[in-house]
Amino acid sequence: MVSLAASSLSVLSKPSLILNPIRAISRISCSLSSNSAPNGSSSSSSSLEFNITFAPPTPKPKSKTDDSFQFIDQNTGGQLFIPWIVRGEDGNLKLQSHPPTRFLHSMSEAEAKPKKKKVSVDKRVPEPPKYSKAARRFYNENIRDSSQRLSKVLAAAGVASRRSSEELIFEGRVTVNGSVCNTPQTRVDPARDIIYVNGNRLPKKLPSKVYLALNKPKGYICSSGKKESKSVINLFDDYLKSWHKTYPGQPKPRLFTVGRLDVATTGLIIVTNDGDFAQSISHPSSGISKEYIAAIDGAVSKQNLITISEGTVIDGVHCIPDAVELLPQQPDIPRSRLRITVHEGRNHEVRELVKAAGLEIYSLKRVRIGGFRLPSDLGLGSYIELKQSDLKAIGWKS
């Protein structure tokens, strides 16, 4: 019979082992003995020994990664750190427990700059009108300030040009609401104010804006004066006679040309009663190009083209054309033709450019203003009304 009770009691009976058994006991040997046989034969003794060892586990050797980086900092009570993989100055990747400096700088700058809120606007869905048509019409007729300068109102009503209207005001021949007005800058509204010029009442409604393209014939001057017998405005007599049928209740407009063409030049010219439009198109600062076809007496050499392209001085300003081109010779046209494009629009600019090159112009015709070209089927002295798309092609930004 095997018994371990004696050995267990002998071990636990020692006072030193009871106090600190794990540290004191480093090695314990136990033996088991058996002295009886089952059949009553002679006794034989045998023993088995067990070795019990109490020792901590052998620590594992640390790798190179564990030596260079630890995820837990023992100095801060075992706080867990997130590893950062960065590229060092030598170009190799390494692990570190703190973020890189450039990352901290970018984070601080991002916090300093406030984020702009993105406003999502669906352009496909049009916004509904805020007010009805009746409300807008009532606002335009009763509340909206539609006043203009007195000289501009007189010119728009067809009384005279703006400069001549100012002379009428200075002479005291204009009254506003029963009082003589001597200031052209006075703001008036013809629909509300009572305006008299030379004893004649100014109509409440101003004429509609008119835009016409004329193929100017030779021998007509671009002047709206009544003393001129061959003015381009005389070509619109039939148009003005039928004005009241087309626009009933409106006064006749005072027409004038946008810019000028000399008496010997033919081609495209714009006629209107809109002063703002005329000022915007004809002013040199607009940069609107104008194309001319010049028929030349005699042959045109390469040196002549170079001289024209270099420009010349006109009124103290050196003017250079945008383009100069010698057109191909045609069998039905014996003379050489030049296509010259300018944008400044100074007086006799094309003629002066050709004259400076030692050439003489036989005929000159303007065929284009901006992006609007003179219709090929429009005869001399004929005109057409311009559409809104034509005005945009010319360069008008309303």
Side-chain angles (χ1 to χ4, degrees), residues 247-262:
Y247 302 96
Q250 295 187 12
K252 292 182 181 180
R254 188 191 65 85
L255 300 179
F256 52 88
T257 60
V258 179
R260 293 188 178 185
L261 291 177
D262 57 58

Side-chain angles (χ1 to χ4, degrees), residues 279-356:
Q279 177 68 14
S280 175
I281 298 302
S282 61
H283 199 274
S285 61
S286 63
I288 297 176
S289 61
K290 303 172 183 64
E291 182 180 324
Y292 295 81
I293 302 297
I296 306 298
D297 279 335
V300 179
S301 63
K302 184 177 180 180
Q303 185 60 39
N304 295 137
L305 298 177
I306 294 175
T307 305
I308 295 175
S309 62
E310 291 176 351
T312 186
V313 178
I314 303 175
D315 297 333
V317 179
H318 188 72
C319 299
I320 301 176
D322 296 340
V324 180
E325 179 185 359
L326 178 62
L327 298 178
Q329 193 75 27
Q330 294 185 0
D332 56 338
I333 301 177
R335 292 179 175 82
S336 301
R337 296 180 303 152
L338 295 177
R339 177 187 286 118
I340 303 176
T341 305
V342 296
H343 67 275
E344 293 185 75
R346 297 188 177 274
N347 192 21
H348 304 293
E349 181 176 0
V350 177
R351 293 184 180 275
E352 292 295 332
L353 289 171
V354 175
K355 183 179 178 181

Side-chain angles (χ1 to χ4, degrees), residues 70-81 97:
Q70 293 183 357
F71 292 95
I72 298 178
D73 190 359
Q74 301 297 336
N75 299 327
T76 59
Q79 182 178 359
L80 180 64
F81 285 93
S97 60

Side-chain angles (χ1 to χ4, degrees), residues 85-326:
I85 303 176
V86 298
R87 189 177 297 276
E89 297 179 356
D90 55 354
N92 298 327
L93 297 176
K94 63 179 181 179
L95 289 173
Q96 63 183 30
S97 60
H98 55 84
T101 306
R102 60 179 180 272
F103 178 77
L104 296 177
H105 289 172
S106 61
M107 289 292 293
S108 61
E109 292 177 359
E111 293 178 358
K113 296 179 180 179
K115 295 183 179 180
K116 297 182 179 179
K117 295 182 179 180
K118 295 183 179 180
V119 180
S120 59
V121 179
D122 192 359
K123 297 182 179 180
R124 296 174 297 178
V125 181
E127 296 183 358
K130 295 182 179 180
Y131 306 101
S132 63
K133 291 183 178 180
R136 292 197 299 268
R137 183 167 55 252
F138 178 81
Y139 171 79
N140 294 332
E141 294 178 356
N142 300 276
I143 302 176
R144 183 181 179 181
D145 184 14
S146 57
S147 61
Q148 303 178 27
R149 296 191 307 273
L150 179 58
S151 59
K152 185 176 182 180
V153 170
L154 297 182
V159 175
S161 64
R162 191 172 300 186
R163 185 174 299 177
S164 300
S165 298
E166 292 178 354
E167 294 178 358
L168 293 175
I169 296 171
F170 288 137
E171 293 174 359
R173 299 162 65 180
V174 180
T175 61
V176 179
N177 297 328
S179 302
V180 177
C181 183
N182 300 104
T183 308
Q185 292 80 14
T186 303
R187 309 289 294 187
V188 295
D189 185 0
R192 300 180 183 179
D193 299 322
I194 302 175
I195 305 173
Y196 278 86
V197 180
N198 292 329
N200 299 321
R201 171 74 183 271
L202 196 72
K204 292 185 177 181
K205 290 185 178 181
L206 296 178
S208 302
K209 301 298 182 182
V210 177
Y211 308 94
L212 305 168
L214 171 68
N215 188 0
K216 175 187 171 299
K218 188 176 182 179
Y220 284 81
I221 62 174
C222 296
S223 176
S224 57
K226 296 182 180 180
K227 297 180 181 180
E228 306 295 341
S229 59
K230 294 193 68 173
S231 171
V232 293
I233 305 302
N234 297 334
L235 299 174
F236 297 92
D237 289 341
D238 295 338
Y239 178 80
L240 295 177
K241 288 179 180 179
S242 61
W243 176 264
H244 294 295
K245 296 181 180 179
T246 309
Y247 302 96
Q250 295 187 12
K252 292 182 181 180
R254 188 191 65 85
L255 300 179
F256 52 88
T257 60
V258 179
R260 293 188 178 185
L261 291 177
D262 57 58
V263 65
T265 304
T266 63
L268 177 62
I269 191 167
I270 308 300
V271 179
T272 183
N273 63 338
D274 190 349
D276 295 334
F277 169 79
Q279 177 68 14
S280 175
I281 298 302
S282 61
H283 199 274
S285 61
S286 63
I288 297 176
S289 61
K290 303 172 183 64
E291 182 180 324
Y292 295 81
I293 302 297
I296 306 298
D297 279 335
V300 179
S301 63
K302 184 177 180 180
Q303 185 60 39
N304 295 137
L305 298 177
I306 294 175
T307 305
I308 295 175
S309 62
E310 291 176 351
T312 186
V313 178
I314 303 175
D315 297 333
V317 179
H318 188 72
C319 299
I320 301 176
D322 296 340
V324 180
E325 179 185 359
L326 178 62

